Amino acid sequence: MEPKHFLVTGGAGFIGSHLVDALLEQGHTVTVLDNLTTGKLKNIAHWMQHPRFRFMCGSILDVKLVDRLTAEADSIYHLAAVVGVKYVVDDPLEGMLVNIKGTEIVLEAALRHHRKVLIASSSEVYGKSNQVPFRETDNSVFGPTSIPRWSYALSKALDEHFAFAYHRQRGLKTVAVRYFNAYGPRLDPRGYGSVVARFITQALTGQDLTVYGDGQQTRSFTFVQDTVRGTMAAMSTPEGEGLAFNIGNAHETSIEALAHQIRAIVGADVDVIRVPYAQAYGSDFEETRRRLPDHSRAVEILEFRAKIPLDVGLQKTIAWFEEHQDELIST
Ligand code: UDP
């Protein structure tokens, strides 16, 4: 692909910074817009002096800034969001504002300047559907509006609706990717928003691993390099425009099995204990029981499938956490 200039919103975040690495390594120019709420400068610090890299500290709610950066770029990876169920449960209002209004601002700017936009969505969009594996054409099943958790799923679903309406009604080139539990180096060591980070941190700091509920709930953990590869394939494939794609590992793992696997790789002398959901999230929490992508659409249209097995990805992730031991704090 010929070199392009990409605007990456949320480019200092976990997935965003890995995307930035891949884009710059492939010869592209990158502007990152990030307000550093959950993103971290150190995730992109290694690029700061690079001639093809620019960092702008700012918000996607800043209409003028988004407009200017959009005009200067060829295409936009829109990853900036309040992410993770726990953040959203803690502050649903901020989550909805950033995730809905922010996306609208990005799409409007893209329309003004005729720029292609990739929207980072989430497997949360399937809600509590039990029709696994999840296909992009399946129903979303959301809980009641009295339960704040579902505002995250709904905001991401609405983002997709926005993107596809701009595509159908205004001819804007848009595509959405639904991420399935990405993990890897640079996950927040506090483990906020990722069970992988939490378990690794617990194991490395000699704490028991806290499995919520019966531990039989599953997730399809996807190593971040696979996540990034799928994201770039979605951006570069014209046939994907106007569609959402599952970007995730086609293998599911129970949380209990994950805990035992992480404990074994770390070699930690700690227990795996059960914690009731109510204690972890409060009494009105609803859990997604199984989460597994059907990847046939991504395989057929994007020629993408996740490749990195969980044990390989966990070893790389744990090695990174070991190098950053000094940043680990009690969970
Ligand atoms: N979980 C757990 N112990 C923890 C943190 C999370 O058992 O200390 C469970 C959580 O209840 C969920 C799964 O791990 O079933 C994945 O949680 P995460 O927050 O990583 O992402 P989610 O897929 O729920 O958005």
Side-chain angles (χ1 to χ4, degrees):
M1 198 166 80
E2 69 184 72
K4 284 179 142 195
H5 181 177
F6 291 101
L7 170 61
V8 182
T9 73
F14 164 57
I15 298 175
S17 67
H18 286 281
L19 174 63
V20 168
D21 289 348
L23 291 170
L24 286 164
E25 279 158 15
Q26 291 187 9
H28 300 294
T29 298
V30 173
T31 296
V32 164
L33 173 63
D34 199 304
N35 67 359
L36 301 179
T37 314
T38 50
K40 298 189 193 93
L41 265 186
K42 64 176 183 242
N43 286 346
I44 48 171
H46 50 294
W47 295 115
M48 280 303 178
Q49 306 305 323
H50 196 282
R52 284 186 281 107
F53 178 79
R54 175 172 64 151
F55 171 66
M56 298 295 292
C57 187
S59 168
I60 52 166
L61 299 174
D62 183 338
V63 178
K64 279 193 184 146
L65 180 61
V66 169
D67 187 79
R68 177 163 68 81
L69 299 182
T70 299
E72 290 166 4
D74 295 309
S75 305
I76 302 139
Y77 284 100
H78 176 44
L79 276 68
V82 176
V83 282
V85 169
K86 195 153 172 53
Y87 274 111
V88 173
V89 168
D90 288 349
D91 192 348
L93 213 47
E94 173 75 4
M96 284 183 283
L97 180 73
V98 173
N99 295 356
I100 300 171
K101 195 169 183 183
T103 297
E104 198 191 342
I105 288 170
V106 169
L107 286 167
E108 276 175 358
L111 182 67
R112 274 193 297 276
H113 301 287
H114 309 286
R115 304 294 192 251
K116 182 168 181 173
V117 189
L118 175 139
I119 301 280
S121 184
S122 167
S123 49
E124 272 288 310
V125 162
Y126 295 103
K128 53 182 176 178
S129 166
N130 50 20
Q131 205 182 330
V132 282
F134 299 145
R135 294 175 70 97
E136 293 87 346
T137 47
D138 285 347
N139 290 331
S140 299
V141 183
F142 300 139
T145 50
S146 54
I147 297 180
R149 176 202 219 281
W150 298 114
S151 66
Y152 179 64
L154 274 160
S155 69
K156 285 291 173 183
L158 202 54
D159 285 352
E160 291 190 19
H161 272 299
F162 260 129
F164 300 144
Y166 272 97
H167 178 70
R168 276 193 299 268
Q169 295 177 239
R170 303 276 189 274
L172 183 67
K173 293 178 180 177
T174 59
V175 61
V177 285
R178 296 180 174 175
Y179 293 141
F180 283 71
N181 293 76
Y183 73 97
R186 301 186 196 145
L187 271 178
D188 189 333
R190 287 171 301 169
Y192 213 42
S194 165
V195 66
V196 173
R198 244 177 93 83
F199 285 172
I200 295 175
T201 300
Q202 288 170 335
L204 287 175
T205 55
Q207 301 169 76
D208 293 340
L209 274 53
T210 54
V211 168
Y212 298 161
D214 65 4
Q216 297 313 300
Q217 69 271 34
T218 72
R219 295 292 185 269
S220 300
F221 296 102
T222 310
F223 193 60
V224 67
Q225 273 168 11
D226 276 332
T227 307
V228 163
R229 229 171 19 88
T231 305
M232 291 169 72
M235 176 64 103
S236 63
T237 307
E239 295 75 22
E241 283 160 21
L243 295 173
F245 290 93
N246 289 337
I247 301 296
N249 197 329
H251 299 280
E252 62 187 323
T253 305
S254 77
I255 299 305
E256 174 144 54
L258 176 78
H260 287 282
Q261 202 169 344
I262 288 176
R263 182 177 65 170
I265 297 174
V266 172
D269 185 16
V270 294
D271 289 325
V272 173
I273 56 166
R274 298 254 169 96
V275 176
Y277 280 115
Q279 198 176 315
Y281 295 111
S283 56
D284 62 354
F285 184 76
E286 288 189 348
E287 168 72 319
T288 302
R289 194 68 188 157
R290 285 179 71 193
R291 184 180 285 159
L292 175 69
D294 178 320
H295 65 179
S296 35
R297 179 184 274 182
V299 170
E300 276 160 32
I301 300 179
L302 307 180
E303 294 177 16
F304 165 77
R305 72 178 76 221
K307 283 188 190 150
I308 299 159
L310 185 59
D311 57 337
V312 175
L314 283 179
Q315 277 169 21
K316 290 185 180 181
T317 310
I318 289 167
W320 183 87
F321 272 71
E322 283 170 338
E323 281 166 29
H324 294 77
Q325 280 268 14
D326 52 321
E327 294 161 36
L328 305 184
I329 47 169
S330 299
T331 56

